[in-house]
Amino acid sequence: MLARGGALGAVGAFATVALAGCGGPDDADDAPAEPRRPDPETELLRSLVAGKAETVALYSAAIAAGETPGEELRPYLERHQAHLTELKRRLPPGVAAPTGAATPTTATPAPSASPHPSGSPSATPSGQAVSLSRLRQVERESAAARAEQLQSASPALAQLLASIGACEAAHAVALARLS
Amino acid sequence: MTGSYPGAQAAAYGPVAARAGTPSGPAAKDTEGPVKTLDGLMKALAAEHAAVFAYALIAARATGARKAAATAAYNAHRGRRDQLRGLIRARGGTPAEPEASYALPFTPRDSTEGARLAALVEDGVTAVYLELAACDDPATRRTAALAMQEAAARAYGFRPTIAALPGFPGPDPEATATTPGPTATLSTPSTPSTTATPS
């Protein structure tokens, strides 16, 4: 009984708070809904998707440029694409993935592609050659960022980020053997 | 007493998301809560104990560059082991001591087999840290993520293949490995015939 009373009390407190936000009985139904605060996990995911799409575009540009045989870089690209797929899959229904950076045939990054404050790759102008050292730098920075990004994520997303970071760290080592 | 090698532990514990059947998806997110930090640290310590044991064997049978790599890995795992002991004590826990020996998938007879075993050990350690990455302490998550990165990089040094999602269940990396040698039988680990004593 005591627990039940506590629960009811909580409901009452919530109702009071909710009503306090209304302008009045007349406009309560017509007032436009306040924009909901974006879910932090969703915002993180959108940021991660944008950053990974940039990496995919970078590898695509490197392969297209042909300075390094595409057969050697293609497995790297495919693993990044797998990461991108996994990240996109976690976006809630109805939430659009950031667009503009994942086109496989261009190196142009998304216009808004700076939502990765922890070391994700920066933009590379279209047409600029992508060196192996640049790819290594991106892999190293991305891996380092994962160790920070996972700290505020849900448990399942934290695991995915830890795993993606491990792949990126291995990429950084492996790319050194190509150069 | 004989302990299990890190891969066997990973199979027993499993990553949080993997238990939901897929490395991603709302089901995994909604049905699995965070891993208790102390529990995860204990499991990671057990994996590091086993890794130290395995690398003592691997290094003893390796030569040349592989011996150097195995020795470096041995020291790295000892470092992680000691770090985990400290983290466990800081949370009021008592770090487990290593077992006298560990059941490895096979006992390496030479450098090549040692490299195969090393890659398997790193795979197992990676999977155990993957579970710790889902714990409820952000700093410990970071430690787990960095340990996974080190393990994945070391694994590449011994077996030049890279999984898209290290630590998660996936195709047997040895199936596509370019390193010569017979395929390991992970599901039927043999009883160790060697009882080297790592420090």
Side-chain angles (χ1 to χ4, degrees):
Chain A
M1 285 298 115
L2 186 59
R4 186 178 180 184
L8 290 173
V11 171
F14 173 76
T16 303
V17 171
L19 287 172
C22 296
D26 292 333
D27 60 359
D29 291 341
D30 300 331
E34 287 189 19
R36 284 188 297 179
R37 287 191 66 182
D39 172 44
E41 178 100 338
T42 301
E43 288 302 293
L44 174 61
L45 272 169
R46 285 176 56 83
S47 162
L48 295 166
V49 166
K52 185 57 76 173
E54 281 187 27
T55 305
V56 166
L58 203 61
Y59 270 93
S60 298
I63 292 172
E67 292 190 13
T68 300
E71 308 81 62
E72 300 209 59
L73 288 181
R74 192 160 297 282
Y76 295 73
L77 170 63
E78 290 171 354
R79 286 186 285 266
H80 283 299
Q81 286 172 328
H83 299 164
L84 184 59
T85 299
E86 289 297 335
L87 291 167
K88 281 184 175 176
R89 189 185 297 177
R90 288 169 179 267
L91 282 169
V95 175
T99 58
T103 311
T105 55
T106 176
T108 306
S112 59
S114 50
H116 12 191
S118 321
S120 293
S122 57
T124 297
S126 180
Q128 181 176 326
V130 181
S131 64
L132 279 176
S133 63
R134 169 91 174 102
L135 293 177
R136 282 191 72 198
Q137 179 190 1
V138 167
E139 299 284 6
R140 280 196 302 264
E141 291 178 352
S142 297
R146 305 302 172 217
E148 312 303 323
Q149 293 160 345
L150 90 169
Q151 297 184 39
S152 60
S154 66
L157 179 56
Q159 288 191 314
L160 178 60
L161 290 176
S163 182
I164 288 175
C167 178
E168 291 163 339
H171 276 182
V173 173
L175 284 172
R177 297 191 178 185
L178 296 183
S179 50
Chain B
M1 187 174 173
T2 300
S4 55
Y5 84 108
Q9 291 173 1
Y13 302 149
V16 166
R19 287 202 296 270
T22 169
S24 68
K29 178 180 169 183
D30 294 343
T31 58
E32 300 289 347
V35 172
K36 296 293 184 188
T37 300
L38 187 57
D39 290 347
L41 289 169
M42 293 285 202
K43 291 173 183 174
L45 176 61
E48 292 291 8
H49 278 318
V52 168
F53 174 88
Y55 271 111
L57 294 181
I58 294 165
R61 287 157 176 75
T63 56
R66 278 183 176 161
K67 188 176 189 71
T71 302
Y74 172 78
N75 288 326
H77 283 290
R78 288 184 67 190
R80 285 290 178 195
R81 175 201 66 186
D82 294 344
Q83 179 189 28
L84 290 168
R85 282 171 166 163
L87 292 173
I88 289 168
R89 287 195 187 97
R91 283 168 175 74
T94 302
E97 292 300 317
E99 305 291 349
S101 65
Y102 289 83
L104 303 174
F106 57 89
T107 301
R109 292 170 296 186
D110 55 27
S111 230
T112 301
E113 289 189 356
R116 283 179 52 219
L117 178 59
L120 293 175
V121 167
E122 299 296 353
D123 291 345
V125 167
T126 299
V128 172
Y129 277 115
L130 182 67
E131 179 172 359
L132 188 59
C135 76
D136 44 16
D137 178 55
T140 305
R141 285 186 179 189
R142 183 177 187 279
T143 298
L146 295 176
M148 284 179 66
Q149 293 182 18
E150 292 171 6
R154 276 193 300 268
Y156 179 80
F158 290 108
R159 180 197 56 217
T161 59
I162 300 174
L165 292 173
F168 283 104
D172 181 358
E174 289 205 343
T176 55
T178 57
T179 305
T183 302
T185 308
L186 273 172
S187 56
T188 54
S190 60
T191 303
S193 57
T194 313
T195 54
T197 305
S199 62

